[in-house]
Amino acid sequence: MQVNVQRVAGVQTTVYPILIAISVGHLLNDSMQAVIPALFPILETSMNLSYTQIGWIAFTLNMTSSVMQPVVGFFTDRTPSPYFLPLGMASSLLGMIGLAFAPHFFFVLLSVLFVGFGSAIFHPEGSRVVYFAAGTRRGFAQSIYQVGGNTGNALAPLFTALIFVPFGQKGAVWFTMIAALGIVLLFRVSRWYSLRLKEYGTMQKQGKSGKSGVKNHRNIMFALTLLIFVVFARSWYSAGISNYYQFYLMKHYHVPIQEAQVYLFVFMIAGAIGTFVGGPLADRFGKRNLMLFSTLGTAPFSLMLPYLPLVWVLPVVFLAGFILSLSFSTFVVYAQELLPGNVGMASGLIVGLAFGMGALGAVVLGKIADLYNLNILMILCSFLPLFGALTWWLPKEKSSASQ
């Protein structure tokens, strides 16, 4: 039966309309996630929040989605559920309504839970749609999918400057329309996905022989653990920049809130560009090679960033975001090849659990900022990409894929 899954995902032609549709759905889903960090400067002022409380909001969002993603993926690997896609978007819609009218900190946390659940429900099934539609261009297809999510996240600074500064937290109401659009779009994708499942059978049946590599179980677990640890480190760095660098710019360089969003937007949009470029590079030069270059190659720029004059910050922030994100989709594809019979769970472990561990980083980093200062925080964060050197010990693709 493992031959079938290779035939389904490897021999068929790439279905570009579905890849573009699920990428747009990913953009809409992650745009609503981006609303939450976009609200941080507003909530800090209106609710008088500490950096630690801001960290707890980020923790609630990311831990909800990160812990739940592999759980949802494990379930849907055995019982694929195409209509989880619009269901996840509906959960995020409820979260947007709650955020718009949240009267205090704990109601914000409750609203964020709905957004986190929506993301956890969406991502595993979204990754499986990409797996079906990818054809032979696995890295490129994953890049198309992930660039939608990265672009959605990159919009957070623009949301702050253009929506939440003038309208306050009630500006979140506008995002209910984005959620409604997403529900319609993903319902159509779900119909295509449902037909594919009927045609080829469930992923459970296709992937049962994915356990044929049990004899190399220790190698698989070592590679997967190392992979998650490296992603964990890069997630902490991203959490430091995404959640706190705007405050560092305002306090260290004395730039206004709107201008601080420009620097953050450049970092995040560079990440979206890097994600798109990285997939084809991984297909050509090898996944492990790209992961090593991407993570370790970010270190020179991250290490110099806290010491730069303001005029050099923008180009260095762009290069750091671009290089760091070259391997974003590659981590997911590599994990899927380690666990070929558990595509949803593999995606959940990387996109959800490992990347979502930035949530824990947000709390720890927020506590560091409260106990010491933002300058110490940025210096500590600058060393995190050095953990990319561990990627050297990952098995090469032929070894991992054969397992």
Side-chain angles (χ1 to χ4, degrees):
M1 297 299 291
Q2 183 64 20
V3 176
N4 288 342
V5 78
Q6 300 298 336
R7 185 184 304 122
V8 172
V11 178
Q12 68 180 48
T13 56
T14 305
V15 187
Y16 288 103
I18 293 298
L19 286 177
I20 293 170
I22 195 65
S23 180
V24 172
H26 199 184
L27 185 151
L28 299 178
N29 178 84
D30 285 22
S31 291
M32 283 179 288
Q33 283 187 260
V35 165
I36 294 163
L39 275 170
F40 285 168
I42 308 304
L43 297 176
E44 183 204 22
T45 302
S46 64
M47 296 186 181
N48 195 28
L49 301 182
S50 67
Y51 292 129
T52 302
Q53 286 176 306
I54 289 171
W56 276 112
I57 296 173
F59 176 86
T60 301
L61 171 67
N62 291 304
M63 280 300 288
T64 303
S65 62
S66 66
V67 170
M68 288 298 296
Q69 271 196 51
V71 174
V72 173
F74 181 82
F75 170 77
T76 56
D77 279 333
R78 284 144 183 78
T79 310
S81 307
Y83 293 97
F84 269 22
L85 291 169
L87 178 64
M89 195 67 69
S91 178
S92 295
L93 188 152
L94 294 175
M96 289 300 103
I97 295 172
L99 281 171
F101 301 103
H104 50 71
F105 173 67
F106 290 105
F107 202 92
V108 170
L109 291 181
L110 179 62
S111 302
V112 167
L113 278 174
F114 280 97
V115 180
F117 282 133
S119 178
I121 293 169
F122 168 82
H123 280 99
E125 287 298 85
S127 292
R128 191 177 286 101
V129 169
V130 176
Y131 192 80
F132 270 110
T136 57
R137 307 193 67 185
R138 192 78 60 80
F140 180 61
Q142 192 65 227
S143 287
I144 291 176
Y145 173 62
Q146 296 294 350
V147 78
N150 281 19
T151 304
N153 281 316
L155 295 175
L158 297 185
F159 293 160
T160 301
L162 302 178
I163 297 177
F164 296 119
V165 168
F167 297 108
Q169 72 181 84
K170 286 186 171 58
V173 168
W174 291 101
F175 293 90
T176 58
M177 291 185 287
I178 291 178
L181 175 63
I183 290 171
V184 174
L185 174 68
L186 293 176
F187 184 80
R188 296 179 67 87
V189 173
S190 296
R191 291 178 61 186
W192 177 88
Y193 175 28
S194 182
L195 291 173
R196 296 292 290 175
L197 288 175
K198 290 177 182 178
E199 183 177 354
Y200 290 104
T202 65
M203 290 299 292
Q204 178 187 11
K205 292 179 181 178
Q206 294 170 6
K208 278 183 178 178
S209 64
K211 299 180 181 179
S212 60
V214 169
K215 60 183 180 180
N216 293 315
H217 180 70
R218 287 186 179 180
N219 292 339
I220 293 173
M221 291 308 299
F222 171 78
L224 195 60
T225 301
L226 189 59
L227 192 72
I228 290 173
F229 183 80
V230 173
V231 176
F232 179 90
R234 71 193 295 283
S235 297
W236 276 49
Y237 181 70
S238 292
I241 299 297
S242 301
N243 293 309
Y244 300 108
Y245 194 60
Q246 58 186 317
F247 299 113
Y248 177 77
L249 287 167
M250 289 187 284
K251 295 184 184 301
H252 185 73
Y253 295 104
H254 307 292
V255 301
I257 182 172
Q258 287 94 338
E259 186 178 339
Q261 305 312 307
V262 173
Y263 292 86
L264 190 56
F265 174 74
V266 167
F267 175 79
M268 301 179 90
I269 201 65
I273 297 169
T275 297
F276 185 73
V277 173
L281 290 178
D283 287 337
R284 182 173 181 180
F285 297 107
K287 299 176 186 65
R288 193 191 70 158
N289 292 338
L290 184 70
M291 289 188 288
L292 179 63
F293 169 77
S294 173
T295 50
L296 194 58
T298 305
F301 302 101
S302 67
L303 288 168
M304 71 174 70
L305 187 59
Y307 308 101
L308 293 173
L310 185 61
V311 68
W312 286 105
V313 168
L314 209 59
V316 170
V317 158
F318 178 87
L319 288 171
F322 176 80
I323 296 172
L324 185 69
S325 294
L326 285 172
S327 59
F328 189 94
S329 59
T330 308
F331 278 102
V332 179
V333 176
Y334 191 94
Q336 288 175 343
E337 292 182 355
L338 285 173
L339 301 171
N342 295 277
V343 175
M345 187 173 70
S347 302
L349 283 170
I350 299 303
V351 180
L353 185 58
F355 280 112
M357 282 295 103
L360 179 60
V363 175
V364 174
L365 297 176
K367 192 66 176 178
I368 291 171
D370 283 333
L371 290 176
Y372 301 99
N373 56 60
L374 288 167
N375 190 51
I376 295 295
L377 172 63
M378 288 298 115
I379 292 172
L380 289 175
C381 284
S382 70
F383 289 93
L384 290 170
L386 290 172
F387 284 102
L390 296 174
T391 310
W392 177 261
W393 283 275
L394 286 171
K396 293 183 179 179
E397 284 87 294
K398 287 185 179 180
S399 175
S400 64
S402 66
Q403 293 171 27

